[in-house]
Amino acid sequence: MVDLATVRIFEGENADMNESEQDEKIGNEYLYRALRLTVECQDEYCKIKPGHGTGFIVRSHADGRPAGEHFLVTNRHVVDRTYSRSGRTPWGSSTLVSIRIDGYFQRPRYPNDLPERTSLTMSNPSPVYPTNEDLDVAVIALPSSSDEGKPPERIFNSFPIMKLQSADEIMNGQIQVGSSLLMPGYPELAELEVSDRPVLVGGWIASDPRYSASIMGVERPRRVLGHSFSRAGMSGAPALGLLPAEIDWMGDPQGARVTLLGINTGHVHLSNEPSVISEFVPAPAILSTIAKAGDAFARSRVESALRRSAMEDVEVQDLWLPEPLSE
């Protein structure tokens, strides 16, 4: 249940315009697409325990236009305190009580406008998780309509679902080791104080993105490594990449495009101190979880990707394929 009955997620001016024409570089709007999450869970002793993380909103399509459902995306371990990857024993019990979303709205194409602070509280939300428990992803559907006479709107910047990275640019080498990796998020600072505004952490892809990562002799299923600092509070941050500029059929240069590579799941523990090696779950896991949450457009994209994979000769590893959907 959402405390405020209606929410309008900003869909961009001229929302039916080709997104690649609008989003050619990282800027203020991309920074503010990261949202600060304050999560309250009740443990087996009925104690409320707060926690923090980062999230972002993905908007789907309806009838071929970018005006469909909206979904909050974060890590499963942010909203499910008992979460453990497959093969491990879950610990304790926990019930998700509420999620408070705090952020800033930056008008697209007006980067010099000052952002507006905005927030929303959801009570007793119902996250949807991937079938594969190795995928540290959680998706929560948000209401997105707003009519006159309803409660005040809450406005957030969001990612169009078409920004979710598919296998195409991975297999043709446009995204590879050394490609840029950028993550906006809300890190915890000294004494567990959470950053008031998002910060953008930069780095590059550190493992071959065509395969599940392996480090120190341990395979990390369906995850890619990045040389990009992550710490508490950054869990659930969007992992962004830059596709190189291309030349169109008329010979005109097209600017570099931003792509949503996946979702940050935290830093890799190489010692007792936070490392500069982070990891992210690739975007197809987000797409299939949105489809599992009931979105028809996401389902069609999943089915199309699986059909193409079955028909083409190019081998695509599982981490860049969405999960098959049950009927």
Side-chain angles (χ1 to χ4, degrees):
M1 175 181 178
V2 179
D3 289 350
L4 296 177
T6 58
V7 182
R8 180 170 73 87
I9 313 300
F10 187 83
E11 294 167 355
E13 300 180 36
N14 300 321
D16 56 348
M17 180 185 292
N18 186 323
E19 290 286 348
S20 65
E21 295 178 7
Q22 300 182 62
D23 301 329
E24 295 184 343
K25 63 181 180 179
I26 298 290
N28 292 339
E29 185 199 348
Y30 274 99
L31 175 69
Y32 290 115
R33 289 186 185 187
L35 304 171
R36 183 176 65 179
L37 305 184
T38 303
V39 179
E40 289 191 336
C41 294
Q42 187 177 63
D43 66 14
E44 62 265 39
Y45 304 107
C46 297
K47 293 182 178 179
I48 301 295
K49 295 185 176 181
H52 299 283
T54 297
F56 54 95
I57 291 171
V58 173
R59 67 177 185 269
S60 187
H61 278 43
D63 299 325
R65 295 173 61 85
E69 298 297 322
H70 298 79
F71 300 89
L72 175 66
V73 181
T74 188
N75 288 147
R76 179 171 179 173
H77 77 258
V78 171
V79 297
D80 179 4
R81 301 292 171 79
T82 66
Y83 170 69
S84 62
R85 291 170 182 152
S86 61
R88 302 180 186 178
T89 303
W91 52 273
S93 64
S94 179
T95 301
L96 180 60
V97 176
S98 68
I99 300 176
R100 178 182 171 91
I101 307 172
D102 289 287
Y104 294 84
F105 171 66
Q106 177 69 55
R107 290 184 66 194
R109 298 191 295 149
Y110 293 91
N112 294 329
D113 284 7
L114 296 180
E116 302 173 14
R117 187 186 295 268
T118 184
S119 66
L120 167 72
T121 298
M122 296 186 292
S123 299
N124 303 314
S126 300
V128 176
Y129 306 123
T131 302
N132 185 336
E133 293 186 354
D134 280 324
L135 300 174
D136 190 358
V137 176
V139 166
I140 301 172
L142 296 174
S144 57
S145 62
S146 180
D147 301 315
E148 291 184 4
K150 294 292 181 68
E153 297 174 344
R154 293 299 191 261
I155 303 176
F156 299 98
N157 297 105
S158 61
F159 290 95
I161 198 168
M162 299 298 287
K163 282 291 183 189
L164 289 172
Q165 178 65 55
S166 67
D168 295 344
E169 287 81 10
I170 303 298
M171 303 314 296
N172 66 22
Q174 287 182 279
I175 296 290
Q176 55 184 300
V177 172
S179 294
S180 297
L181 176 63
L182 299 163
M183 298 189 299
Y186 289 84
E188 288 185 359
L189 306 176
E191 299 179 356
L192 300 182
E193 289 293 328
V194 180
S195 175
D196 180 62
R197 291 182 184 272
V199 297
L200 183 67
V201 177
W204 55 85
I205 295 176
S207 67
D208 188 338
R210 296 172 297 180
Y211 303 95
S212 292
S214 178
I215 189 169
M216 299 179 68
V218 178
E219 184 177 2
R220 310 185 78 83
R222 293 178 179 251
R223 279 162 284 166
V224 177
L225 299 181
H227 188 278
S228 182
F229 186 79
S230 177
R231 62 178 300 156
M234 289 286 290
S235 293
L240 306 178
L242 289 173
L243 293 172
E246 297 178 332
I247 304 297
D248 67 15
W249 65 277
M250 296 185 65
D252 296 324
Q254 301 295 307
R257 293 183 291 119
V258 179
T259 183
L260 182 54
L261 293 173
I263 181 170
N264 176 49
T265 61
H267 65 267
V268 178
H269 292 270
L270 301 178
S271 65
N272 292 330
E273 298 296 327
S275 72
V276 294
I277 301 297
S278 60
E279 58 184 5
F280 67 87
V281 171
I286 300 172
L287 179 67
S288 56
T289 309
I290 290 175
K292 189 176 179 181
D295 185 70
F297 183 81
R299 174 176 283 272
S300 69
R301 296 279 293 176
V302 168
E303 293 171 345
S304 175
L306 293 175
R307 282 197 303 269
R308 287 181 58 193
S309 173
M311 294 172 59
E312 295 177 355
D313 294 332
V314 178
E315 180 182 3
V316 179
Q317 299 297 314
D318 287 346
L319 77 166
W320 286 104
L321 288 177
E323 289 189 298
L325 300 172
S326 58
E327 297 297 332

